[in-house]
Amino acid sequence: MLNQQIKLSTRFTLALLASRLVLFLIFQALIALIAHSWHTSERYWLLTATLTNMISILLLFFLFRLDGKNFRHLFKIETTHLKKDIIIFLMLAIFSVALVLAPGYFLSLLLWNDPNVPTEMLFGTIESWLAYILLIAFPLTIAFAELGTYFGYIMPQLKKQLKVKWLSVLLPVIFLSLQHCTLPFIPDFNFIVYRAFVFLPFAALIGISIYYRPSLFPYFAVLHGVMDFGTAYLFLLEIE
């Protein structure tokens, strides 16, 4: 009976890996139905991400409560080695700049021979009132949802459930990167490949860092939110 529960629990955790990828697609499909156009729905990917983040946060609250824990514990700053954590994080944050910018540049050259193509495909015009709401809602919700799902919940669960421990890092890293295939889902092969791999190095840095030093989690969550504030701001530039 215990072995069966463990197997079911492992299956659930593995299924959770694809949850955000599927939710992105579902919310985009709903927007497409409302707009009567899939092409129009592609511009609202920031909205689909925010709605997905809200579902992810609610799910994390529920899952941690089942384990007798509080979701908020992930974001508690550990003061016992605060100075060392800050120094390590700052070094990793500086290094992460290259891991964020370089893959996008080289992938776009490889796939389109033009670094501007993915930006043009991603950032279209949306209603100004919605852009201002998402400027706050998107980075705020993603700071709690994305890393919390892959590295706050799934990675520790897989570490307990899988015999091959390195898979507990590899699988969340891969799926964090792959989820972007449906954010937004544009039926263009090059774009899908681009979105699948563009964040893989950055995801690996975060996953490996948190695996070996869990106390870095809240710092990376804040960094993620700040970075995506910049992403949301690009939509305002399209309006202006």
Side-chain angles (χ1 to χ4, degrees):
M1 186 68 172
L2 180 61
N3 288 336
Q4 186 177 6
Q5 290 177 341
I6 292 173
K7 288 180 181 178
L8 288 174
S9 178
T10 304
R11 287 173 186 171
F12 173 78
T13 308
L14 292 173
L16 198 60
L17 284 167
S19 63
R20 288 175 59 80
L21 184 150
V22 174
L23 284 170
F24 291 150
L25 194 58
I26 290 173
F27 281 120
Q28 185 176 343
L30 289 174
I31 293 171
L33 285 174
I34 294 170
H36 303 289
S37 168
W38 188 268
H39 180 68
T40 299
S41 73
E42 295 167 1
R43 299 202 309 265
Y44 291 87
W45 64 271
L46 223 60
L47 176 59
T48 66
T50 302
L51 294 171
T52 295
N53 291 340
M54 294 169 67
I55 298 298
S56 294
I57 291 169
L58 290 173
L59 183 59
L60 287 169
F61 265 108
F62 175 74
L63 292 173
F64 276 111
R65 182 171 292 183
L66 282 181
D67 288 343
K69 299 177 182 178
N70 193 314
F71 171 53
R72 289 175 293 182
H73 85 279
L74 289 176
F75 305 92
K76 183 180 179 181
I77 301 292
E78 292 189 18
T79 57
T80 52
H81 36 74
L82 180 63
K83 184 177 179 181
K84 188 172 183 180
D85 280 345
I86 292 175
I87 292 173
I88 293 174
F89 170 72
L90 289 176
M91 293 173 63
L92 291 172
I94 293 170
F95 180 60
S96 71
V97 174
L99 293 184
V100 171
L101 298 177
Y105 177 77
F106 289 110
L107 271 174
S108 59
L109 286 180
L110 178 65
L111 295 169
W112 295 286
N113 200 31
D114 184 350
N116 297 315
V117 171
T119 302
E120 293 170 356
M121 296 178 73
L122 278 169
F123 296 98
T125 302
I126 62 175
E127 293 81 356
S128 59
W129 63 267
L130 180 59
Y132 278 106
I133 292 174
L134 294 175
L135 180 66
I136 303 301
F138 172 60
L140 183 62
T141 55
I142 206 164
F144 290 98
E146 189 164 278
L147 300 190
T149 297
Y150 292 108
F151 303 131
Y153 182 80
I154 293 176
M155 186 166 70
Q157 290 293 318
L158 290 179
K159 188 177 180 181
K160 292 185 294 184
Q161 295 165 355
L162 299 179
K163 292 181 180 180
V164 184
K165 300 305 178 185
W166 58 266
L167 284 176
S168 66
V169 185
L170 180 64
L171 291 176
V173 165
I174 289 175
F175 275 89
L176 190 155
S177 184
L178 287 179
Q179 68 170 339
H180 295 89
C181 290
T182 55
L183 186 65
F185 179 72
I186 298 177
D188 177 277
F189 178 77
N190 285 353
F191 184 79
I192 292 171
V193 171
Y194 174 86
R195 293 292 282 174
F197 295 104
V198 68
F199 294 113
L200 185 59
F202 185 49
L205 172 70
I206 297 176
I208 293 170
S209 299
I210 293 175
Y211 181 84
Y212 287 106
R213 199 170 185 87
S215 57
L216 294 178
F217 181 92
Y219 301 100
F220 275 112
V222 171
L223 175 65
H224 198 4
V226 171
M227 291 173 63
D228 280 317
F229 177 84
T231 301
Y233 183 72
L234 292 177
F235 274 90
L236 289 180
L237 295 180
E238 287 294 323
I239 295 170
E240 297 172 359

